[in-house]
Amino acid sequence: MSLAEEIKAKGLESGFDLVGITDAGPIDNEQFKFFTDWLALGYAGRMNYMRENLEKRTNPAKLLENAQSVICVGLNYTPSLDRGTRAEGQKTRDETGHLPSSRPMGRVANYAQYEDYHVFIKKGLSKLVDFISSLACGNHKFKICVDSVPLAERSLAARAGLGFIGKNHTLINPGLGPQIFLGEIITSVKLQTDEPIAESCSNCNKCIEACPTGALRTDGQFDANKCISYLTIEYKGQTPADLAEKTGDRLFGCDECVLACPYQENAPVCKNQQFKYYNDRARVDLGRILNLTEADFDAEFADSPINRLGLDRLKRNAHICLVNATRREI
Ligand code: B12
Ligand code: SF4
Ligand code: SF4
């Protein structure tokens, strides 16, 4: 087995669903142009960090001295509707996958129903680094990236053969669908690289039709200013009234463009049993959120991606969902 093959086998054995390798060169010109157009058109909204470190974000070699390769991993996060241990008295989900309740509830995006993926994936990648260090000759360097490092993760994952970029802008693997977290190890070890896959988006436009706000534009661009995921996770101000209304009962994140994709239909559920899933985070009681103290919030969401949002913004979102619930009842 070559070193690259050993690394890929170890990655899969340690619980990742996909492992591919690409070189540490910059993303291609078309992808770079897409990115700079996105910034120039103002579609990054108030995510000012997306305007910084452009050189590093689009070129892994700028993030690590003598970088040669990027090992890209994917972790499937499609939740099973019946997964997890139900608490005493907890109701079963209805045919739409929702837990019926007489109290107004807010929906949490699938990815945030798990423990914080940043922490989980970093731990897995750190073990993989130990494994590579034990096999590679010489004194090599490694940099672990999961989401927060300025790096064009989707572009690199596509180049490493993990999947293709769909019209919903997610990295889609034909077998696993779009609900895949990404992570990378940039390394000075030179490894044999993989080829991008041949399959591509079917252009069925179901994602664009499903987007409640028009954030997924028909011209192929993505306007974060209108995206419910951006507004409920990243945006710090008061949500504009028209968009607040379209947010419906989405308390944290949005999955519409992901769930509408035909590649999601037969996607297998997350098989990594070490990756903690919380059944009771799929839908949460809005009244309870509005009454949480800082101490309650920290205790309840310490290991969740929701923790980064902070209690004030979670309450802002809960208030919007509650107003929308009242509107639905009238
Ligand atoms: C900022 C950010 C957001 C922002 C902006 C999203 C966006 N589309 O840009 C907000 C908060 C809205 C967001 C939402 C979500 N995010 Co987010 N996000 C990021 C982050 C930090 C940067 C993304 C970025 O660079 N955006 C800028 C745009 C221009 O880049 P891009 O969409 O990645 O597109 C690149 C290529 O795909 C290509 N490209 C894309 N479309 C096209 C079209 C054409 C024609 C061409 C030529 C090229 C091209 O060009 C770009 C060059 O780099 C990444 C982590 C990272 N470091 O990469 C996670 C990441 C993209 N997010 C992730 C997830 C899971 C989500 C959500 C599903 C969460 C949710 N349920 O609410 C949604 C999905 C919304 C969506 N449809 O994109 C995952 C995606 C995994 C996957 N399988 O794709 C990532 C990779 C985090 C991770 N490590 O797993 N996110
Ligand atoms: S996450 Fe929701 S609002 Fe954002 S582009 Fe996808 S469907 Fe539209
Ligand atoms: S819904 Fe259709 S157009 Fe959108 S990403 Fe999936 S296959 Fe592509």
Side-chain angles (χ1 to χ4, degrees):
M1 247 202 243
S2 69
L3 182 55
E5 283 163 346
E6 284 199 60
I7 293 168
K8 286 191 264 181
K10 185 70 179 176
L12 296 174
E13 185 197 306
S14 56
F16 292 114
D17 296 280
L18 302 167
V19 189
I21 299 173
T22 183
D23 62 82
I27 63 171
D28 72 35
N29 290 342
E30 201 190 5
Q31 304 261 330
F32 185 83
K33 184 176 178 330
F34 183 86
F35 194 96
T36 48
D37 284 353
W38 182 71
L39 292 176
L41 289 162
Y43 291 154
R46 293 188 191 172
M47 294 183 284
N48 289 331
Y49 62 88
M50 293 303 299
R51 292 181 191 92
E52 292 155 10
N53 297 312
L54 184 66
E55 231 191 324
K56 285 184 183 159
R57 192 175 284 280
T58 53
N59 185 359
K62 299 279 175 193
L63 283 166
L64 182 84
E65 202 189 329
N66 194 28
Q68 300 292 326
S69 321
V70 184
I71 302 159
C72 298
V73 299
L75 176 67
N76 171 19
Y77 68 90
T78 291
S80 153
L81 297 182
D82 296 317
R83 229 180 109 159
T85 316
R86 283 206 184 92
E88 188 73 15
Q90 199 176 338
K91 293 176 182 137
T92 49
R93 291 170 190 264
D94 64 20
E95 66 285 351
T96 61
H98 297 147
L99 296 166
S101 167
S102 51
R103 297 186 307 276
M105 306 291 270
R107 253 190 291 167
V108 172
N110 284 346
Y111 90 93
Q113 295 166 20
Y114 293 84
E115 67 175 290
D116 191 336
Y117 70 93
H118 300 87
V119 179
F120 184 81
I121 295 178
K122 270 183 200 160
K123 271 191 216 152
L125 290 179
S126 166
K127 283 189 193 145
L128 199 53
V129 164
D130 292 343
F131 175 78
I132 303 167
S133 303
S134 71
L135 294 183
C137 303
N139 199 5
H140 282 289
K141 290 198 173 71
F142 302 90
K143 182 167 178 64
I144 290 174
C145 311
V146 185
D147 188 58
S148 49
V149 174
L151 185 65
E153 295 191 280
R154 285 166 167 166
S155 289
L156 293 169
R159 202 168 76 191
L162 265 53
F164 59 83
I165 311 288
K167 257 191 171 172
N168 62 8
H169 294 255
T170 66
L171 183 283
I172 300 173
N173 177 273
L176 298 177
Q179 297 198 85
I180 311 162
F181 291 121
L182 303 177
E184 304 77 27
I185 300 169
I186 308 175
T187 176
S188 56
V189 182
K190 192 159 177 58
L191 297 164
Q192 195 188 328
T193 58
D194 293 297
E195 289 297 314
I197 62 170
E199 199 161 340
S200 63
C201 172
S202 69
N203 291 322
C204 69
N205 287 344
K206 287 189 175 160
C207 49
I208 294 176
E209 287 155 19
C211 177
T213 60
L216 273 188
R217 296 170 50 91
T218 45
D219 64 7
Q221 261 293 1
F222 166 86
D223 186 357
N225 298 290
K226 291 186 178 171
C227 173
I228 294 167
S229 180
Y230 165 75
L231 291 167
T232 57
I233 300 172
E234 290 282 330
Y235 188 67
K236 294 197 171 72
Q238 205 185 337
T239 314
D242 57 327
L243 292 165
E245 199 176 328
K246 288 177 183 159
T247 297
D249 64 348
R250 296 174 196 86
L251 178 69
F252 186 84
C254 171
D255 285 329
E256 303 306 326
C257 57
V258 162
L259 298 181
C261 181
Y263 283 97
Q264 185 55 44
E265 249 165 55
N266 299 315
V269 300
C270 170
K271 67 170 170 39
N272 190 320
Q273 295 296 320
Q274 310 302 315
F275 190 36
K276 266 187 259 151
Y277 177 77
Y278 295 93
N279 219 353
D280 56 357
R281 284 186 192 162
R283 277 163 70 85
V284 287
D285 185 329
L286 296 170
R288 202 170 61 76
I289 294 291
L290 290 173
N291 283 318
L292 287 181
T293 63
E294 285 287 351
D296 297 335
F297 175 76
D298 286 344
E300 184 160 345
F301 296 112
D303 71 341
S304 160
I306 296 175
N307 189 262
R308 287 162 191 246
L309 185 67
L311 182 58
D312 288 347
R313 283 196 282 154
L314 186 63
K315 285 190 179 179
R316 173 202 63 187
N317 295 353
H319 185 72
I320 290 170
C321 294
L322 211 51
V323 169
N324 290 337
T326 317
R327 197 178 280 127
R328 278 198 303 274
E329 275 166 20
I330 297 169

